[in-house]
Amino acid sequence: MTQRNLPLTTGLYDYLLHQGRMVPDPLLAELLDRTREAIPDQAHMSVAPEEGALLTFLVRLLGAKRIVEVGTFTGFSSLCLARGLSPGGALITCDVSPEWTTLAREFWTRGGVADRIELRLGPALDTLRALPAEPHLDLAFIDADKPGYVGYWEELVPRMLPGALLMVDNTLFSGEVIDEQPGEKAAAVRRFNEHARQDDRVELVMLPIADGLTLARRLPFDEVPA
């Protein structure tokens, strides 16, 4: 098929951020800087600015009130998600690192959203399995250890309300998902991508945003094949 995507040069990327109102505000920019200073080898784990802006936009668009995030890191995506919450909304975010999430807590407080965010430390699968089993979530965002993606997906999909949105980050994994012999993480992402593609409980699209972003809409129960 004919490729229609533009090569995203540095100049065009800057234009995209400015024209799309996606340049991080001072608080988000400081969080990115502090992350690079504190954890330089892992700073790339923060979502890209345009992805963070999209998270806020989609939460507002859906009017989401109940959100689960798998993978907190230093809290950039959590801050973006919480900013979009409807009044009375709440975000549960899962991580295993008290160190990284200490920085997250500081910026949630400074951003005025700490009262909307509940951080649960421990294995994310345990956190997800402890949630109510019935459908109750409006939105979920997965951005954590790649071998765990299928397990997180399987715990979340049954808990999503009809029409709810699941977002999964890094689904192109630097392009390595199409390598003949991908590394362990890329292979795990490829397995997840195929697993999600075959899941008839959702309809989904994969977008070339940042490192690849999959969006999946939970189908109404009467539209799911028996």
Side-chain angles (χ1 to χ4, degrees):
M1 298 181 70
T2 303
Q3 181 174 333
R4 296 292 300 275
N5 289 357
L6 287 172
L8 199 57
T9 63
T10 299
L12 191 57
Y13 180 64
D14 289 342
Y15 179 84
L16 173 87
L17 293 183
H18 282 84
Q19 292 301 118
R21 300 182 183 178
M22 296 184 289
V23 175
D25 63 28
L27 186 67
L28 289 173
E30 183 184 346
L31 176 52
L32 291 176
D33 288 341
R34 291 273 301 277
T35 299
R36 283 190 286 267
E37 292 168 3
I39 320 167
D41 294 340
Q42 303 293 332
H44 64 278
M45 290 168 53
S46 288
V47 301
E50 66 273 21
E51 189 174 357
L54 179 63
L55 295 179
T56 305
F57 183 88
L58 290 174
V59 172
R60 287 177 177 155
L61 184 67
L62 290 172
K65 287 192 173 184
R66 292 169 296 275
I67 300 176
V68 168
E69 176 186 48
V70 182
T72 312
F73 192 41
T74 59
F76 187 92
S77 54
S78 306
L79 182 52
C80 293
L81 289 164
R83 282 178 165 181
L85 277 167
S86 296
L91 164 66
I92 294 173
T93 184
C94 316
D95 209 284
V96 294
S97 172
E99 178 186 3
W100 293 347
T101 53
T102 296
L103 188 58
R105 288 183 187 275
E106 174 190 338
F107 278 82
W108 296 339
T109 299
R110 291 174 58 188
V113 298
D115 61 334
R116 306 175 206 173
I117 301 176
E118 179 185 352
L119 172 63
R120 297 190 182 181
L121 291 173
L125 274 179
D126 292 345
T127 297
L128 298 179
R129 288 169 179 162
L131 295 174
E134 68 274 6
H136 65 284
L137 299 174
D138 300 309
L139 188 146
F141 181 52
I142 301 174
D143 183 16
D145 61 294
K146 309 316 169 194
Y149 269 24
V150 170
Y152 303 145
W153 176 269
E154 284 302 315
E155 293 300 327
L156 284 166
V157 171
R159 293 172 167 85
M160 307 306 294
L161 290 165
L165 180 65
L166 294 98
M167 298 180 287
V168 186
D169 199 20
N170 305 116
T171 49
L172 293 178
F173 206 78
S174 300
E176 296 177 32
V177 288
I178 62 170
D179 288 353
E180 287 189 12
Q181 294 183 323
E184 179 184 0
K185 292 181 180 179
V189 172
R190 188 159 75 183
R191 285 194 299 272
F192 166 75
N193 289 342
E194 186 61 21
H195 182 84
R197 186 183 69 83
Q198 295 187 41
D199 193 333
D200 57 14
R201 298 170 294 179
V202 301
E203 58 179 350
L204 63 77
V205 295
M206 184 185 291
L207 302 177
I209 295 172
D211 195 30
L213 181 66
T214 293
L215 305 180
R217 171 181 170 266
R218 181 69 161 100
L219 291 171
F221 305 131
D222 60 0
E223 294 183 22
V224 176

